[in-house]
Structure formats: C-alpha cells, structure tokens
Amino acid sequence: MSQAATDETSGTATFPLKFSLTPSTAARTEIEREEILADPGFGKKFTDHMVAIDWTLDEGWHNARVMPYGPLHLDPASSVLHYGQEIFEGLKAYRHADGSIWTFRPEKNAERLQRSARRLALPELSEADFIESIRQIVAVDGDWVPSARETSLYLRPFMIANESFLGVRAAHQVGYYVIASPAGAYFADGVAPIKIWLSTEYSRAGRGGTGAAKCGGNYAASLLPQMQAYDNGCAQVLFLDGETSSRIDELGGMNVFFVHGTDTLVTPRLTGAILEGVTRDSIIQLARDRGLTVEERDVTLGEWQDGVASGAITEVFACGTAAVVTPISQLKGPNLSIGDPDAPAGEITMALRQELTDIQYGRLPDRHGWLTRLDAPAAQA
C-alpha cells in the first residue's frame, strides 16, 4: 500500500508521508563526531543517517524512511546512469546561539526542486514532504549541526531515475534521498575577493536547455572550463550566454551581481538558462530593503569592462548557498583583464553578506519569515 494518495498527473502526494526510522548500528561516537566537526571541510564527511523515499508510476511516493547512511544499490541498467535523469538541491541547517536548529527558505528549494523535476521529466515531491524530509534527518542527526561561527550542516536532497530500463523515456521508478554533511566556514581566514576566469570556448547552457534546472549535467559541463580557471590562477569560471556570447550568464555554481555607484544593484535577468538562486532572490530583497535600486536585465561583457574602467561599476560579487556572498576582484580571460586583483571587498558587498548571514544564524530579526525551525514539530516552527 502507498503511504500517501497520489495525484496521477504530477506524482505529488495529496497528504504528508509518514516516515519510518531504522537507527544506524554503526553511528559515530560523540568523540568521533566532535573530531569531524572540529575540521569538517565541505562535502567530505557525512552524518550517520539518510532519508529515502520511493516513487513508482503505479504507487506514487511511498516507503518514506530514515535509514543508516550507506551505498545505494543500483542496477547497471538504471536510467540515471545512461540518460542523466536526476536533479538535486542544496540548503543548510544553522545552529543558533540558544542551541536551536533552523534552515533558510526551504520552501524556495522545494519549489525549485519541483521546477527541476518538471524539466527533467521526474515526479514532483510536495513542499510539505520536502520540508519534512529535512526535518527527519535533523531529528536523528541534529548533533551533527556544528556551532562554530559560519559553520552549518549542509543538506543535499536529490532525486534519481533508478528504473532498470534502457529505453529513452521518462523513468517509471525514482528514488529521492537526503544526505547531510557538516560544513566548515567557507572563508576560514575571513572573506577574500577572488579572481574568476571568462570561458570563451564553452557555454554553461543554451536556449531551451536545462540551465534553469538544478541538475548534474549542468555542473558536469562546467568542470572542464573550471579546470581552465584553476590553470589560470582563478577560483571560478564565468559563462556568457550560448546565443550571442556577449551577455553575462552566471558562474559555474553562483549568480553574479554588479554594484553601480552607491545606490544601484544589477544582476542578469532570468532567461531560462540561469539558475534561479535562493541566495540571489534573498540578496535582491535585502538590497531593496536598504533602498537600493535593483535591476534584473541583460548585462554584457562590454558593459562590465567599460563600467569598471569608468568607475560606474564599483563592486562585483557572486552569491550561492555554499559561500553565501563572494567578492570578485578581477575577471581574466584570453587577452582580457577587468578589475584589480588586489582590490578589497566592497562595502555594499560585505554589508549584504553580513546582513544575510546574521539572519540565517539568528543574530538579526527574521523580518521576512525566511527561517524554518527544524528541531521542533512543524506546529511549533
């Protein structure tokens, strides 16, 4: 029997799933866990448990469970291995000063997972079940949420087509999972501006493609240009649009913003080829709260170059879940150099970053209702 009734057209549950729990018999001791939390890095160590939910065409979403963290058993013919039918999300759990555990705008991640699912022909998981899956892993592995400044528990929900079938069609069997990894401070020695590399040979996404979906193929396509960025002394790669190679799209894993003077923030508009970042949306709101004019529009490489040269563009930064806000000091490329590699982080960049992290960690009031408590029942959140 399915644990929830299912809408036949979307595959979404019509009432919340019920989760079973199988505790791990190999859970780390408190001493072992604390040793990991002292220097977790990012995405290197994982908690003792994971969430899994099954979906089939006949039953919809069912068999929701929390289980010991461990390998997935996939048939070699699983669709995901051959056709890349998979999507994922990324968000964080934050420990506040009183010990409580919160996450930031999870409903936005749930909505984006649904949009990604539609684009990749996967079933949509309801917002309620998405958020409950996050609650469930924190309920059993809450001790893995670190308390040091700017640390967090990174949460990675993902969905894969695990039907054993080699025909080219949408899979009739899917698995949804959540794993969790303690994350140290992204900038261990303080926020440092980075240099980025302009990819002139490759595009991240094209018109009508999967650029707006959070799927592995987009990231796989960015890895070779990212290696070129490293080879040229840069921390990240920047992509131009796939049609004209003149407009700024985004970095390999972050959205980009331009500060004009002291009162205007500009970011590339969402074209269907750019990922709609939760941090991006939050920065836009906080900027408007400060009285800044925010423009979502096309930004050309020429405008960036001319704006820095004339002083019209005073700051550039990138944003995303992992690093939150990252100042950009210089853009490099073949026969191209924009900005000063030794320039300090900009005032507006750092003010927005500070405000956003202060909200996430409970140091400032949550005036927009962005925080969801995870270590308490939904009715108390």
Side-chain angles (χ1 to χ4, degrees):
M1 292 288 292
S2 171
Q3 289 179 294
T6 302
D7 183 291
E8 293 180 357
T9 59
S10 68
T12 56
T14 57
F15 59 84
L17 294 164
K18 302 298 182 183
F19 288 76
S20 64
L21 169 62
T22 302
S24 173
T25 59
R28 266 68 63 90
T29 66
E30 181 179 354
I31 293 175
E32 290 172 328
R33 185 177 62 247
E34 291 304 318
E35 287 177 350
I36 293 172
L37 294 182
D39 185 22
F42 184 87
K44 296 179 179 180
K45 302 290 184 178
F46 298 89
T47 66
D48 296 312
H49 296 84
M50 59 190 287
V51 166
I53 311 175
D54 299 328
W55 179 91
T56 62
L57 191 62
D58 294 332
E59 294 185 89
W61 291 109
H62 63 283
N63 194 24
R65 59 206 185 275
V66 182
M67 57 190 286
Y69 181 93
L72 300 179
H73 298 282
L74 293 178
D75 190 286
S78 293
S79 300
V80 66
L81 302 177
H82 302 273
Y83 308 117
Q85 198 183 6
E86 66 81 41
I87 55 176
F88 66 97
E89 270 302 322
L91 63 166
K92 292 177 177 179
Y94 306 90
R95 190 176 297 280
H96 287 191
D98 64 359
S100 60
I101 302 172
W102 302 73
T103 193
F104 183 75
R105 307 189 74 182
E107 68 284 349
K108 299 295 288 186
N109 295 93
E111 292 168 6
R112 189 169 62 185
L113 189 77
Q114 291 176 339
R115 293 195 301 270
S116 296
R118 287 194 293 272
R119 181 61 184 87
L120 273 293
L122 288 162
E124 295 177 37
L125 185 70
S126 74
E127 178 182 317
D129 289 330
F130 176 91
I131 295 176
E132 184 59 25
S133 72
I134 302 303
R135 289 187 190 279
Q136 289 287 327
I137 197 164
V138 168
V140 68
D141 281 342
D143 287 341
W144 284 88
V145 183
S147 57
R149 188 174 181 86
E150 293 226 6
T151 62
S152 61
L153 183 66
Y154 182 77
L155 304 170
R156 170 52 61 88
F158 63 101
M159 192 185 299
I160 62 173
N162 55 14
E163 180 185 5
S164 301
F165 178 70
L166 294 182
V168 184
R169 62 155 169 75
H172 292 175
Q173 179 178 310
V174 169
Y176 167 82
Y177 306 92
V178 183
I179 57 177
S181 174
Y186 193 89
F187 296 102
D189 299 320
V191 180
I194 63 170
K195 295 181 290 184
I196 61 175
W197 178 255
L198 175 66
S199 179
T200 57
E201 186 177 359
Y202 302 102
S203 297
R204 176 184 171 275
R207 181 177 182 181
T210 59
K214 198 167 179 67
C215 62
N218 294 339
Y219 292 80
S222 74
L223 297 182
L224 177 59
Q226 180 65 58
M227 290 172 61
Q228 294 175 336
Y230 293 149
D231 290 341
N232 286 276
C234 296
Q236 266 284 347
V237 60
L238 176 82
F239 293 102
L240 301 174
D241 73 285
E243 297 176 76
T244 69
S245 295
S246 65
R247 299 190 301 269
I248 304 300
D249 260 8
E250 63 173 277
L251 275 65
M254 292 188 280
N255 298 117
V256 63
F257 281 85
F258 303 88
V259 179
H260 287 243
T262 59
D263 60 1
T264 302
L265 195 62
V266 178
T267 191
R269 66 184 177 90
L270 300 174
T271 61
I274 295 176
L275 186 68
E276 188 174 343
V278 178
T279 307
R280 174 189 183 275
D281 185 74
S282 305
I283 289 292
I284 288 173
Q285 182 61 60
L286 294 181
R288 287 175 173 154
D289 291 349
R290 289 170 170 265
L292 299 178
T293 298
V294 179
E295 300 176 5
E296 298 180 71
R297 59 172 174 81
D298 290 341
V299 180
T300 66
L301 181 62
E303 179 184 349
W304 187 345
Q305 189 167 25
D306 293 344
V308 170
S310 68
I313 294 177
T314 53
E315 304 174 33
V316 185
F317 65 87
C319 68
T321 299
V324 189
V325 169
T326 303
I328 296 172
S329 59
Q330 185 183 41
L331 174 65
K332 295 174 60 179
N335 303 312
L336 177 74
S337 177
I338 302 175
D340 178 0
D342 299 319
E347 182 178 339
I348 292 176
T349 298
M350 294 305 294
L352 288 169
R353 187 184 195 281
Q354 186 67 54
E355 183 176 12
L356 182 55
T357 55
D358 281 348
I359 292 171
Q360 291 170 334
Y361 286 93
R363 298 187 291 262
L364 279 180
D366 176 24
R367 62 182 182 275
H368 292 293
W370 284 343
L371 296 179
T372 295
R373 186 167 182 175
L374 294 178
D375 62 338
Q380 298 180 28

